[in-house]
Amino acid sequence: MNRKKEIQEKVEQALRSLDGLESASANPHLYTRIRVKLDQERTAWSWLANFLSKPMVAIGLVAVVILLNILTITSNNSSADELNDQLVTLAQDYSFQPSNILENGINQP
Amino acid sequence: MTDPRFIERLRQGEEAAFCQLVEDWKDRIYNTALGLVQQEQDAEDITQEVFIIAWKTIHRFREESSIQTWLYKIAVHQSLDAIRKKKRKKRFGWMTPILGSDENGESDPGDFIHPGVQMEKKQEAQVLFRAIKKLPEQQQVAYSLQKIEGLALKEIAQVMETTDGAVEALLNRAKSNLQKTLTNYYQTHKHE
């Protein structure tokens, strides 16, 4: 019984331990640190913007994009030809040509 | 501080107004973050982040609420975010030796003592802070804002975007949970 009461008292004591708590103080140089962080962010973005806006870099990037587009188009064309060839071979193998159908007289009444 | 002219100066990007905002609010924001994350370095990082966010998003500030409520809201959000990140990191802690990234060997905040606690209450406060850490998120926020930051029920409700009644219920549940945790603790640690 005594033990239970003792624990209860300790619990109450712990719950009261934040009474009269003083506020913690932030770093006195907080503003300077925030300013440095903001400036660093700005510097990083402005460096990127400056770099991208240089005429040589901008022209180079445009050239790369155009080149990539050309490569994509030409590779698509060659693959279309390949596909066409394969279809023709397949049609020939299975005698799918319209001439064959006419020769066999399937469409005739 | 909710003076519309002051808000306008902030919106205009006036450096002096921003400096004043930081100087006026840094201690309260730091104290709030410290109560939640229970780690001094993390609390300082969060405080910096709160003001940076405020500076960048001041154009979105609606004058329906006070600047105090707005800053506290950001602080609570950032603190909870930091706690969640830390929990995630802890959960995947077993991967650290594999990936080889052991940032700065952060210590567990289990031994945290708030710098504002009175000397003779330090031991009990340490046990209490450990118990607060185990509370569900919303109870932890409500309890910290009341006990550590000393906010009134109405102010807590505004920060948590809820009703006074809901905050009261959260505080009651927090107290009851703390009582249970502390009782368990003192039953197993007889000599403390």
Side-chain angles (χ1 to χ4, degrees), chain B:
Chain B
M1 186 53 78
T2 331
D3 177 10
R5 275 172 301 176
F6 179 73
I7 308 291
E8 196 44 46
R9 281 171 61 203
L10 282 172
R11 285 202 180 115
Q12 300 285 325
E14 199 186 298
E15 195 74 35
F18 181 51
C19 183
Q20 192 189 331
L21 180 82
V22 174
E23 291 306 324
D24 286 350
W25 286 95
K26 64 178 185 185
D27 287 347
R28 274 172 277 186
I29 297 304
Y30 175 72
N31 197 46
T32 306
L34 186 62
L36 287 168
V37 296
Q38 299 186 11
Q39 228 272 346
E40 288 176 17
Q41 189 52 54
D42 288 351
E44 188 180 324
D45 290 345
I46 290 165
T47 311
Q48 288 181 20
E49 209 53 45
V50 169
F51 287 109
I52 289 173
I53 292 170
W55 179 239
K56 285 181 181 170
T57 59
I58 186 69
H59 56 278
R60 272 193 255 155
F61 171 66
R62 302 270 167 270
E63 283 163 63
E64 299 146 10
S65 66
S66 67
I67 205 151
Q68 157 178 326
T69 309
W70 185 56
L71 288 175
Y72 276 129
K73 264 187 209 172
I74 305 174
V76 167
H77 182 270
Q78 289 300 109
S79 302
L80 292 180
D81 217 34
I83 293 170
R84 285 184 208 128
K85 267 185 202 159
K86 218 162 207 180
K87 276 185 188 162
R88 264 203 303 272
K89 210 187 259 179
K90 223 175 186 178
R91 210 172 299 143
F92 295 104
W94 58 274
M95 285 176 87
T96 314
I98 303 169
L99 300 170
S101 62
D102 185 24
E103 287 195 355
N104 39 20
E106 291 160 356
S107 62
D108 196 303
D111 299 327
F112 171 74
I113 301 176
H114 190 282
V117 172
Q118 290 168 9
M119 193 60 117
E120 66 276 14
K121 294 177 181 171
K122 281 197 187 261
Q123 209 177 346
E124 290 86 3
Q126 192 177 4
V127 179
L128 179 61
F129 271 110
R130 223 176 289 161
I132 294 173
K133 201 96 188 130
K134 288 179 186 164
L135 287 175
E137 233 172 48
Q138 294 298 300
Q139 291 177 29
Q140 199 181 331
V141 171
Y143 193 82
S144 297
L145 287 177
Q146 190 193 48
K147 292 285 176 186
I148 300 166
E149 196 41 34
L151 294 192
L153 214 70
K154 207 174 184 66
E155 291 170 314
I156 301 172
Q158 281 168 349
V159 173
M160 296 181 78
E161 291 177 339
T162 186
T163 59
D164 295 8
V167 174
E168 211 168 352
L170 278 174
L171 288 170
N172 285 335
R173 265 181 278 151
K175 203 177 168 193
S176 146
N177 283 334
L178 285 174
Q179 266 165 338
K180 276 182 214 157
T181 313
L182 290 170
T183 308
N184 272 342
Y185 176 83
Y186 284 118
Q187 273 170 346
T188 46
H189 297 75
K190 289 178 183 172
H191 302 293
E192 285 184 54

Side-chain angles (χ1 to χ4, degrees), chain A residues 88-109:
Chain A
V88 168
T89 317
L90 194 74
Q92 278 170 351
D93 285 349
Y94 288 92
S95 308
F96 281 159
Q97 285 102 328
S99 56
N100 274 357
I101 297 168
L102 287 173
E103 276 166 23
N104 293 336
I106 292 170
N107 281 349
Q108 287 172 5

